[in-house]
Amino acid sequence: MTRYLFSLVFIPALLTVCGCAASSGAPATAIAQPEIAAAYLPLHGRIHLGLDRADGAAVVIAPGIAVTNAHNANLLDPKSVIGTRQDYDLLFFRTPKQAAPQTAAAVLGEGVTAYGQGGDGELRVAHGVVREIRQCSGCAASAYFVFAGNAGPGFSGGPVLDGSGRLVGITFGYKDEGRQRLIYAYEMSRVRAELSALPKALN
């Protein structure tokens, strides 16, 4: 069953966010790509008066700056937040980490790998194939892409990599259609464009 939890401009209106307590994907002992491993940030916290656990992820995209989903705000120290983007489920925050991984554009039909967190705080991994790249009207950068895979709860804000280990997207939601699950991720060109729209990020 698909739950409909948020609606934002330039993204599908009927999606389930990925920051819940359940686990999806498969257990992973480590992130295989050293650059991504160095930039990856697991996020954990409690919601609903501390009764329910929430998990998500983030990744460094510039020296001292990381990105995750805006719906992961409760998993961060508010003092670290640089800002969010009104039309996208994106939140940028400061981190001591400085090394940002190489990025690339998603390619239709290519295999991708996503990382996130499980309900017990363990690293999880999911693999899929890019099914669609969606443009937004009047935008220079693509809005998001869709891949079929087993990502889901705990993958919110986590990195999506291409076959060469380059960062191509940031996961923000999923939708079950019949027997397959479609995962939605912002393209890195869109993420960079939204970061550039935050003056505080450049100070």
Side-chain angles (χ1 to χ4, degrees):
M1 181 176 69
T2 302
R3 290 178 294 159
Y4 307 132
L5 299 184
F6 65 89
S7 176
L8 299 173
V9 177
F10 300 144
I11 66 171
L14 305 179
L15 292 179
T16 301
V17 296
C18 299
C20 308
S23 295
S24 57
T29 56
I31 294 176
Q33 302 80 6
E35 281 191 344
I36 301 298
Y40 182 83
L41 296 163
L43 302 178
H44 309 289
R46 297 284 177 179
I47 57 176
H48 302 143
L49 303 178
L51 299 178
D52 297 325
R53 179 186 177 95
D55 301 278
V59 64
V60 179
I61 57 168
I65 299 175
V67 64
T68 188
N69 292 151
H71 68 259
N72 283 338
N74 60 307
L75 307 181
L76 295 168
D77 180 351
K79 295 179 180 178
S80 70
V81 175
I82 297 169
T84 61
R85 294 301 293 148
Q86 179 179 358
D87 293 337
Y88 296 89
D89 188 14
L90 289 170
L91 180 152
F92 300 92
F93 64 99
R94 298 201 181 278
T95 174
K97 292 193 172 188
Q98 298 294 308
Q102 183 180 3
T103 63
V107 176
L108 196 65
E110 78 173 343
V112 291
T113 300
Y115 287 99
Q117 294 298 121
D120 294 325
E122 78 279 12
L123 181 68
R124 309 286 290 191
V125 63
H127 304 282
V129 175
V130 177
R131 297 284 185 88
E132 179 183 4
I133 299 175
R134 182 65 62 88
Q135 303 289 331
C136 59
S137 178
C139 296
S142 300
Y144 63 89
F145 63 92
V146 184
F147 65 96
N150 189 31
F155 280 74
S156 283
V160 183
L161 318 179
D162 66 10
S164 298
R166 298 172 298 184
L167 181 63
V168 296
I170 302 297
T171 304
F172 66 88
Y174 67 91
K175 184 178 181 181
D176 290 324
E177 290 192 350
R179 295 184 178 180
Q180 72 173 353
R181 172 167 288 180
L182 299 179
I183 315 303
Y184 292 76
Y186 293 118
E187 279 221 296
M188 293 312 300
S189 56
R190 171 51 49 198
V191 175
R192 288 192 297 270
E194 297 308 312
L195 174 62
S196 296
L198 295 174
K200 289 183 180 180
L202 306 179
N203 293 339

